[in-house]
């Protein structure tokens, strides 16, 4: 059946089907990585919530769920800016295997700072998986351990990603029409 595309979407970038195939593949890789262990899988609110829910449901490995909400200040500068932790983890990650789940890496600022903070808590291991990566936008050295899709620098929404809090519940990733954010 043809996908119904929202009228604010310029073009479909990743269909539900493409995402679902990739998420299953990623879950299999992570199952191999964490075989015999129980990682704490961290959802970075809000954008990664849809990817997170699909990813963990495709994993066979037992996982513990936890959630963080952060925002990066001064994301247009390289070294200034603090990470504002709006909601911290509920569990102690010392000695635990931790998997951070992100929806998108852009400048890299958020994860660069978050990784530093979480490493100070002495986890046994820390890996980052992202649904989308825009490598050409990077201003700090931050490479995810696992990436589902590398994409061009376009304004994408859907499957968790928003513009002004809208479009997060679209089941696909689409490119937003310029007229929506330039008006
Ligand atoms: C987005 C995304 C990452 C960050 C990536 O979150 O989920 O956390 O931006 O950008 P960066 O690499 O330039 O730091 P956002 O602050 O938009 O919050 P949201 O997840 O609630 O939409």
């Amino acid at each position: 059946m043809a996908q119904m595309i929202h009228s604010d979407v310029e073009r479909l970038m990743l269909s539900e089907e493409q995402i679902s195939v990739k998420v299953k593949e990623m879950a299999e890789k992570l199952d191999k990585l964490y075989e015999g262990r129980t990682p704490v899988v961290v959802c970075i609110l809000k954008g990664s919530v849809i990817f997170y829910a699909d990813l963990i449901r495709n994993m066979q490995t037992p996982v513990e769920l936890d959630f963080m909400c952060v925002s990066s200040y001064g994301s247009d500068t390289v070294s200034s800016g603090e990470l504002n932790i709006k909601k911290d983890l509920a569990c102690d990650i010392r000695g635990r295997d931790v998997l951070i789940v992100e929806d998108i890496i852009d400048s890299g600022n958020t994860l660069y700072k978050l990784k530093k903070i979480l490493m100070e808590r002495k986890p046994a291991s820390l890996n980052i998986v992202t649904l989308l990566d825009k490598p050409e936008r990077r201003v700090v050295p931050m490479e995810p351990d696992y990436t589902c899709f590398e994409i061009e620098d376009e304004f994408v929404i859907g499957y968790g990603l928003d513009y002004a809090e809208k479009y997060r519940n679209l089941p696909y990733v689409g490119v937003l029409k310029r007229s929506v954010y330039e008006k």
Side-chain angles (χ1 to χ4, degrees):
M1 198 179 77
Q3 183 113 53
M4 288 286 288
I5 301 297
H6 193 288
S7 58
D8 291 348
V9 171
E10 179 70 45
R11 68 177 176 89
L12 183 71
M13 181 181 270
L14 301 166
S15 69
E16 272 189 86
E17 175 67 17
Q18 280 174 291
I19 296 170
S20 149
V21 167
K22 192 65 89 170
V23 169
K24 285 192 177 83
E25 279 174 23
M26 188 56 73
E28 276 177 32
K29 274 189 204 169
L30 294 170
D31 277 338
K32 288 200 182 97
L33 178 72
Y34 291 113
E35 199 178 348
R37 298 182 282 168
T38 303
V40 178
V41 186
V42 178
C43 175
I44 308 300
L45 298 168
K46 304 174 194 172
S48 77
V49 68
I50 312 284
F51 174 44
Y52 180 83
D54 282 346
L55 185 70
I56 57 174
R57 282 181 296 174
N58 278 284
M59 288 175 70
Q60 307 296 316
T61 308
V63 294
E64 275 181 35
L65 278 53
D66 211 335
F67 302 85
M68 263 187 115
C69 190
V70 298
S71 67
S72 201
Y73 288 139
S75 59
D76 53 352
T77 56
V78 179
S79 56
S80 76
E82 299 282 304
L83 193 69
N84 177 23
I85 300 181
K86 296 193 248 180
K87 187 223 169 295
D88 206 341
L89 295 173
C91 74
D92 180 4
I93 57 167
R94 178 178 286 267
R96 301 294 307 273
D97 294 300
V98 176
L99 176 66
I100 298 177
V101 181
E102 259 293 18
D103 54 335
I104 188 163
I105 305 181
D106 194 333
S107 69
N109 274 311
T110 306
L111 277 178
Y112 183 81
K113 294 172 198 164
L114 180 61
K115 189 174 177 181
K116 220 169 142 192
I117 290 169
L118 295 184
M119 286 307 286
E120 283 167 8
R121 301 182 188 180
K122 307 262 186 290
S125 68
L126 182 73
N127 282 292
I128 296 168
V129 59
T130 187
L131 177 74
L132 306 176
D133 187 9
K134 284 183 179 176
E136 67 188 80
R137 293 267 304 165
R138 208 71 95 249
V139 298
V140 289
M142 164 46 59
E143 293 315 313
D145 301 283
Y146 298 92
T147 301
C148 292
F149 302 96
E150 276 195 8
I151 61 166
E152 311 261 292
D153 183 17
E154 292 187 279
F155 201 135
V156 285
I157 43 113
Y159 200 71
L161 290 106
D162 74 312
Y163 168 63
E165 296 303 325
K166 281 178 76 181
Y167 315 111
R168 290 196 198 271
N169 61 329
L170 296 179
Y172 51 82
V173 173
V175 178
L176 189 61
K177 283 183 180 165
R178 294 188 82 90
S179 58
V180 176
Y181 56 92
E182 282 183 349
K183 68 185 168 197

